[in-house]
Amino acid sequence: MAIPTNSPQNSMSKNLSSFIVAVAFFSFAAFFFAESLCANEARRAAGDRVWETIPIFHQGRVMPLDAFARMSVRQICGREAPRLSLRGAELENLPTKPSEKTVRKIESSLGITPTKGAKFPASELLFSWMTQPELWEFVPFFSVENEALRKLMGLPLFDDANNRLDKASPAQLVRFYESDAYEQFSRKINEKNSAKEGGLSPEDQTLFELLSELERNFFLYHSLTFHPTTAQIPSSLFMEQFAQCARAWGMSGIGNFAARISVPKGTNPRQEIYLAFATIQKAAQDISRREAGAQNQDFIPFEVYQSCVTKIVVNAEILDAAAEDFVRRLANTKRPERVSESDWENVQLQTRMWGMAMRKFRIQTNELLTSLYDNGTSLYMLPALDAAPLDMERDENLRLHPWVSLNALLYGDESGALRRFNSNEIEKIHGIRAAFFSMEDAWKNRQGEKFHSASVRFRDALRFVATSSESRRTELLPPERTDLGILAATAYPTDDAQLRREVRYYESAPFLWAWILPFASAMVFGFGMLWNLAVSVPTRTERFIFAFGILLLLGGILANTWGLALRSIIMERAPVTNMFETIVFVSWSAAVLGIWLTFQSRLNKIFRDGWAFLSLRQFALTPGKILFTLTRFGLAFIIFWALTLAGLGSGEGYNAINLSPRVAIGATTPTLSDWTVWLTGMLMLGIFLLWIPRLLLAPVVGSTLAICRKLFAPADETKRLAGAVSHRNYRYLFAFSTALISFVISYTAYASPSMFNPNLRNLMPILRDNYWLSVHVVTIVASYGAGMLAWIFGIASLLLYTFGRYPVVEGRRTPPPICSTLSELIYRCMQGAILLLIVGTILGGLWADVSWGRFWSWDRKEVWALISLFVYLLILHGRYVRLLGEFTLAIGAILGALAIIMAWYGVNYVLGSTLHGYGSGQGSLTFALVLGGTNLALVLGAIARYLIEKSRGTTSREIQQ
């Protein structure tokens, strides 16, 4: 029945529509306005993004300083842009109380008080830590949220306003580390670990892990704020390197060997090294005695250590060059007649071993010099002119960094750490120092324009030195010994475009919106379902609510796409190389498939029409048919060329699929494994040529046909009536389930950075193959998305089986009608999952043959992937032959999803994969058990309700209804 335009119900619908639009608009406007205010407040001193985009080298790749700062600040503070104050600082209860002048300086310079906090972007917080560590010593910023840990450390749980505290200052940590509580807890842990029985309780194990993480964060902070000229020298890292150098000189025979070789006239490097070692050892002993209270000596200046280490390094290089010349001359010397051939070979062998030991000693002395300026983690600002990190034969445990640290540039000696730079570069390094100290002064005085101009000078001077010295890096080693991959990875970027792109990626926070928007969409769809229950007739409000929810869900997909695309462009590879990326990609694929299924009545017709039009069985000589058929054959030729002739895959000239069986070097006939790989490749080639072009063109052709029909077909005056209330709810339920699973998966990745590391990281060598990475991993992960969507539909179906109303149809009780439609959706999702799993598993075998030389190795990852495939095969075949009904199909969706989660999460994070260890991490067995137990409990509850309802009789009243 039509509703009059002036009816109260229609007026109510219009008013509600306007209200929803207004609320949505002002909510989003308020959010963005608040975000912009926070950003402007945080940028009060920097004034520009030059400091953020300065390139540094960290974790094997060049990145903007902003990315490094975000990683470090998130690890230490728990979030990338923390809001900090003096709440819970306990300034009166610290062993070393800050003076009133220091407190006033904290409030004026940092802008924080016991009651007022300030938000600090990561790059600015890092700069402030580096330049004002004396102020941050009393500010709580270390993340300490666990209540038991705070009690152990003697930290307050609440402030005066009864607000919960979750931070601790460096001074509070030092107080705890010097307390009896820390000593007693450490003794307790050691006793429990050494005991044969018992071990740590779950509470003590949790405390131990949290405390270990806090100690790592404390060490990271002190490494970032390490100042070589004012720090207590020697540092722990420096003394460790010094001990290694001393052992190498005294115990490996280098000293005796050095006494035999000739050195340039006028030099005595052996004596210089002995004296430098003795000086450093005496200085270290003096510091140790002073710390013990035995003597009250003056502070030993940094210049003493720098001078001694420089002598060690320079003279070790002289000895190494002389030793290399001595070994070469001895190899070309004719054997004396009085020496037997075996003795002469032993002499040459011993000499070569001494020469190698001398080279290792020279590298160790350079590591000693590096540790003088770097106490673990530092800002590495320029490529170093050192051959050892670029050597293909380098030691895996080499601590010599391929870039020069900021401290070395600021305080390094021109005859030591900076000795390989020429005079023009040294002059620019002095400019780097002046610019940085100008930045420091501008920061402390809150002068934004001065900070900006100084940061520009700092950036330009760095780029000049890097550009000037880059050509000499390629000449440090002979070409046959130079690791070209490391040389390219450590090169200074020629422009800032890629660095700015990475900064934009972090600032846009796409994966934050990738869960916020689906969450809002799920709320809108939930409200829409309630609205449909209250209003029995379709209205404009109902259509608006659904459209608004779809727009929010599409926004989440767009944000996810934007994040994945940026990661792909920045790292120049497919964004599915770690657990975080696979999780967000699963969320993306589940959301896309869910929207397809929500509108399947329309989209399926478009796809089917396009698929049928491209069929070759009925060929008609029409312009459209000829055009699209030629396009299909063209795509097939491109795919054939790319897979068999273009040299894709691992290694130069390697084809992804061989047209003939591969024969190993030295063999005459292919092995069984070679035949298996070839036949599999031929099968995949046939599938790709037959289906992929048609699959790509079908949506385009179908959309074209739909547009043509609408434009040229005769007008239809009849209007399509709205569906029944139940069908409207169906549509809302499908969209709600899609938004919900997209939100849950995206939020899991976003909210667990300690478990699923979101940082942009370099690939392991086995994964550095964009072709296989794209076709295998993307296919497998997309199958996970289909499985996860089937999972949420299965959960919705089982909830309806458990709590829904069983109507009586034709004299017998039947499940809720919507379960039948959900069963169809589950079946479609499983079909997609099993198709992608089969293709992905075969492609994985081909990649394994390329990388490891075998198609299958029964690795845990491979075994569980096969188990997941078999689970879905059994379920779908059982459904196809009608052994399984709609109810058991819903249970199968749960079991299939659990198998996928085991192959995806359990193998890597619980069992620990072997060959696939690049995807492993520290996960929670409790989380896996709770997830599995919850799903199994839902299955058992649904089975119980289903059996009860089936066994119940029907009353005459129910039959009449």
Side-chain angles (χ1 to χ4, degrees):
M1 182 178 66
I3 301 177
T5 56
N6 58 350
S7 67
Q9 187 173 1
N10 197 41
S11 301
M12 181 186 69
S13 300
K14 290 183 178 180
N15 293 336
L16 184 59
S17 300
S18 303
F19 176 76
I20 293 175
V21 172
V23 169
F25 174 80
F26 285 110
S27 297
F28 279 95
F31 179 84
F32 283 114
F33 180 71
E35 283 293 308
S36 63
L37 283 181
C38 292
N40 291 333
E41 175 193 355
R43 293 186 175 278
R44 60 191 184 280
D48 201 81
R49 299 169 62 176
V50 176
W51 169 250
E52 298 176 3
T53 57
I54 288 176
I56 67 168
F57 192 84
H58 182 63
Q59 291 183 347
R61 74 179 189 93
V62 179
M63 63 176 65
L65 186 142
D66 180 68
F68 171 81
R70 288 174 184 271
M71 283 187 269
S72 303
V73 171
R74 183 173 61 243
Q75 179 178 339
I76 293 172
C77 304
R79 58 186 61 190
E80 294 178 357
R83 179 170 292 275
L84 305 175
S85 69
L86 288 176
R87 292 192 307 115
E90 298 183 293
L91 300 179
E92 299 297 327
N93 299 325
L94 298 175
T96 305
K97 299 179 182 179
S99 63
E100 294 184 3
K101 181 180 179 181
T102 302
V103 176
R104 288 197 302 270
K105 198 170 182 180
I106 292 174
E107 296 178 355
S108 61
S109 181
L110 303 182
I112 57 179
T113 67
T115 57
K116 176 187 175 183
K119 189 175 183 180
F120 291 86
S123 57
E124 298 181 18
L125 183 58
L126 176 62
F127 188 86
S128 185
W129 281 348
M130 294 166 54
T131 56
Q132 300 171 297
E134 71 283 356
L135 301 183
W136 287 101
E137 194 70 17
F138 306 102
V139 178
F141 57 83
F142 285 97
S143 178
V144 186
E145 300 180 0
N146 185 270
E147 182 176 335
L149 180 59
R150 294 190 70 88
K151 289 181 179 180
L152 176 66
M153 298 175 64
L155 299 175
L157 300 179
F158 300 93
D159 62 5
D160 296 337
N162 206 31
N163 296 315
R164 189 172 183 83
L165 300 173
D166 59 356
K167 297 285 190 296
S169 67
Q172 288 174 315
L173 296 187
V174 171
R175 181 187 65 183
F176 170 64
Y177 293 141
E178 295 176 350
S179 67
D180 294 336
Y182 178 73
E183 183 179 353
Q184 293 173 2
F185 184 77
S186 300
R187 189 185 306 115
K188 176 183 177 181
I189 295 296
N190 293 332
E191 292 174 354
K192 290 285 187 179
N193 286 331
S194 60
K196 295 183 179 179
E197 298 180 358
L200 294 177
S201 63
E203 294 79 8
D204 287 342
Q205 181 66 34
T206 301
L207 278 178
F208 174 70
E209 292 175 357
L210 292 173
L211 193 57
S212 299
E213 181 182 0
L214 184 60
E215 290 174 351
R216 288 192 297 270
N217 296 343
F218 189 63
F219 177 76
L220 173 61
Y221 169 73
H222 278 285
S223 296
L224 294 173
T225 58
F226 179 71
H227 199 294
T229 61
T230 59
Q232 179 63 67
I233 299 294
S235 66
S236 57
L237 181 60
F238 177 83
M239 287 310 300
E240 181 182 346
Q241 293 295 136
F242 174 75
Q244 290 183 3
C245 290
R247 285 195 299 269
W249 179 260
M251 299 177 59
S252 61
I254 296 179
N256 296 330
F257 176 60
R260 302 182 184 183
I261 61 178
S262 59
V263 295
K265 294 183 178 180
T267 62
N268 189 358
R270 293 177 293 276
Q271 186 66 21
E272 292 287 345
I273 290 178
Y274 280 127
L275 291 177
F277 271 138
T279 304
I280 294 178
Q281 187 173 14
K282 183 178 182 302
Q285 291 173 351
D286 289 345
I287 289 180
S288 299
R289 285 195 297 269
R290 186 177 71 249
E291 289 180 347
Q295 295 183 7
N296 185 17
Q297 300 187 11
D298 295 333
F299 179 77
I300 300 175
F302 164 75
E303 289 74 13
V304 172
Y305 289 94
Q306 185 171 240
S307 174
C308 295
V309 175
T310 299
K311 291 179 182 179
I312 292 176
V313 171
V314 172
N315 289 286
E317 291 181 348
I318 294 175
L319 285 176
D320 180 48
E324 185 177 358
D325 180 69
F326 178 76
V327 171
R328 184 174 58 254
R329 286 189 288 108
L330 184 64
N332 297 327
T333 301
K334 186 178 180 181
R335 175 176 61 85
E337 295 182 357
R338 65 179 182 276
V339 180
S340 66
E341 185 173 352
S342 61
D343 291 342
W344 182 247
E345 290 179 354
N346 289 334
V347 169
Q348 289 189 321
L349 177 61
Q350 184 65 40
T351 304
R352 287 195 299 270
M353 292 178 61
W354 278 339
M356 293 172 61
M358 182 65 75
R359 180 186 301 173
K360 184 177 180 181
F361 173 72
R362 188 256 302 167
I363 294 175
Q364 287 177 330
T365 60
N366 279 277
E367 292 177 333
L368 177 67
L369 180 61
T370 300
S371 66
L372 188 64
Y373 307 97
D374 174 16
N375 193 30
T377 301
S378 182
L379 293 179
Y380 298 100
M381 312 295 291
L382 280 176
L385 295 173
D386 201 308
L390 306 177
D391 196 339
M392 295 187 68
E393 302 175 0
R394 63 186 177 275
D395 187 357
E396 293 182 357
N397 299 320
L398 180 70
R399 288 184 174 177
L400 201 57
H401 206 275
W403 277 36
V404 180
S405 68
L406 176 62
N407 282 336
L409 292 174
L410 297 180
Y411 309 106
D413 187 357
E414 297 177 9
S415 60
L418 308 177
R419 65 192 181 282
R420 294 190 176 93
F421 294 100
N422 60 34
S423 57
N424 291 333
E425 293 160 359
I426 291 295
E427 182 180 353
K428 280 295 182 179
I429 289 176
H430 287 300
I432 290 173
R433 295 176 178 178
F436 183 83
F437 293 136
S438 179
M439 291 168 61
E440 180 178 351
D441 181 68
W443 176 266
K444 292 180 179 179
N445 294 299
R446 304 167 68 87
Q447 298 172 332
E449 294 183 2
K450 181 180 178 182
F451 184 93
H452 168 60
S453 60
S455 62
V456 171
R457 296 196 305 272
F458 182 75
R459 179 198 59 191
D460 294 344
L462 285 171
R463 189 175 300 281
F464 176 88
V465 177
T467 305
S468 174
S469 60
E470 181 63 29
S471 60
R472 301 203 301 279
R473 295 181 73 230
T474 60
E475 303 171 356
L476 293 172
L477 287 168
E480 63 274 8
R481 284 183 54 189
T482 303
D483 190 330
L484 298 180
I486 296 297
L487 185 66
T490 57
Y492 202 82
T494 55
D495 60 69
D496 296 336
Q498 191 77 337
L499 301 172
R500 288 195 298 269
R501 189 176 293 115
E502 187 167 347
V503 171
R504 188 162 60 251
Y505 160 75
Y506 282 108
E507 287 189 340
S508 61
F511 298 114
L512 170 66
W513 296 105
W515 70 261
I516 287 180
L517 293 176
F519 175 75
S521 176
M523 296 298 100
V524 170
F525 288 134
F527 175 77
M529 287 189 288
L530 296 177
W531 175 268
N532 285 343
L533 292 177
V535 181
S536 59
V537 180
T539 62
R540 292 181 179 180
T541 301
E542 179 264 335
R543 290 192 291 272
F544 168 77
I545 294 173
F546 184 78
F548 186 53
I550 289 294
L551 286 177
L552 289 174
L553 183 55
L554 289 174
I557 294 175
L558 183 62
N560 208 330
T561 306
W562 171 253
L564 291 171
L566 276 181
R567 290 179 76 99
S568 180
I569 293 171
I570 292 169
M571 300 305 296
E572 298 179 347
R573 41 87 173 159
V576 284
T577 59
N578 54 58
M579 195 66 178
F580 176 83
E581 291 178 344
T582 58
I583 292 175
V584 294
F585 190 85
V586 164
S587 173
W588 179 89
S589 57
V592 170
L593 180 58
I595 286 185
W596 177 281
L597 293 176
T598 301
F599 296 97
Q600 62 175 330
S601 59
R602 298 179 181 180
L603 297 179
N604 282 355
K605 185 179 187 316
I606 292 176
F607 185 82
R608 284 196 301 267
D609 290 347
W611 185 268
F613 186 86
L614 292 169
S615 174
L616 299 178
R617 295 179 181 178
Q618 298 177 355
F619 187 78
L621 293 177
T622 61
K625 186 77 171 182
I626 294 174
L627 174 63
F628 283 115
T629 301
L630 291 177
T631 305
R632 178 181 175 183
F633 280 113
L635 287 175
F637 175 77
I638 293 173
I639 293 172
F640 178 82
W641 171 81
L643 295 179
T644 62
L645 302 174
L648 295 175
S650 302
E652 185 178 355
Y654 173 80
N655 296 320
I657 296 177
N658 293 320
L659 294 177
S660 60
R662 186 183 61 181
V663 180
I665 298 176
T668 57
T669 58
T671 63
L672 179 60
S673 177
D674 295 333
W675 282 107
T676 302
V677 172
W678 178 74
L679 289 173
T680 306
M682 289 296 99
L683 174 63
M684 296 305 301
L685 180 62
I687 293 175
F688 282 3
L689 296 180
L690 184 64
W691 284 355
I692 297 301
R694 196 175 179 185
L695 190 66
L696 294 175
L697 289 174
V700 178
V701 175
S703 301
T704 304
L705 293 175
I707 293 173
C708 292
R709 290 194 189 103
K710 189 168 185 178
L711 291 177
F712 301 109
D716 185 6
E717 299 297 333
T718 62
K719 294 183 178 181
R720 183 179 59 87
L721 297 177
V725 176
S726 60
H727 292 140
R728 289 159 52 214
N729 281 332
Y730 288 5
R731 186 177 62 169
Y732 271 97
L733 179 60
F734 304 155
F736 171 78
S737 301
T738 300
L740 184 62
I741 193 64
S742 178
F743 155 67
V744 169
I745 298 176
S746 296
Y747 183 75
T748 300
Y750 183 85
S752 308
S754 59
M755 184 181 299
F756 308 124
N757 191 342
N759 298 331
L760 294 167
R761 294 171 290 169
N762 275 349
L763 297 179
M764 293 184 65
I766 191 65
L767 292 177
R768 292 172 188 169
D769 191 319
N770 252 334
Y771 167 72
W772 289 112
L773 191 62
S774 300
V775 299
H776 165 60
V777 183
V778 169
T779 305
I780 287 291
V781 175
S783 73
Y784 291 171
M788 293 299 102
L789 192 61
W791 180 40
I792 193 66
F793 286 148
I795 290 176
S797 182
L798 290 180
L799 287 173
L800 289 167
Y801 276 112
T802 306
F803 301 105
R805 186 176 66 86
Y806 284 66
V808 176
V809 179
E810 297 180 356
R812 59 189 182 90
R813 293 188 181 277
T814 60
I818 194 174
C819 292
S820 179
T821 307
L822 284 172
S823 177
E824 180 66 22
L825 295 182
I826 293 171
Y827 189 72
R828 297 304 177 196
C829 290
M830 285 187 175
Q831 284 180 319
I834 198 170
L835 176 62
L836 293 170
L837 271 176
I838 291 173
V839 174
T841 303
I842 294 174
L843 290 172
L846 293 173
W847 191 7
D849 180 70
V850 172
S851 302
W852 299 320
R854 53 187 182 275
F855 186 83
W856 194 264
S857 58
W858 296 105
D859 179 59
R860 292 170 183 166
K861 191 78 169 179
E862 297 170 349
V863 169
W864 274 100
L866 194 62
I867 291 173
S868 303
L869 183 59
F870 283 159
V871 168
Y872 279 119
L873 281 172
L874 290 173
I875 296 170
L876 260 68
H877 281 79
R879 172 65 173 165
Y880 183 76
V881 299
R882 300 187 182 279
L883 289 177
L884 301 179
E886 295 175 351
F887 179 69
T888 49
L889 187 65
I891 296 176
I894 304 295
L895 299 179
L898 293 179
I900 280 181
I901 292 173
M902 185 62 197
W904 183 25
Y905 171 85
V907 170
N908 292 348
Y909 283 78
V910 178
L911 299 181
S913 183
T914 51
L915 288 175
H916 295 77
Y918 45 79
S920 62
Q922 294 183 351
S924 172
L925 178 60
T926 304
F927 167 76
L929 294 176
V930 169
L931 181 65
T934 304
N935 280 267
L936 292 178
L938 176 61
V939 169
L940 294 176
I943 291 174
R945 172 72 191 283
Y946 183 78
L947 294 177
I948 291 173
E949 291 295 333
K950 284 294 183 181
S951 63
R952 286 178 57 193
T954 57
T955 64
S956 58
R957 182 178 180 182
E958 289 176 332
I959 294 175
Q960 291 176 358
Q961 288 178 347

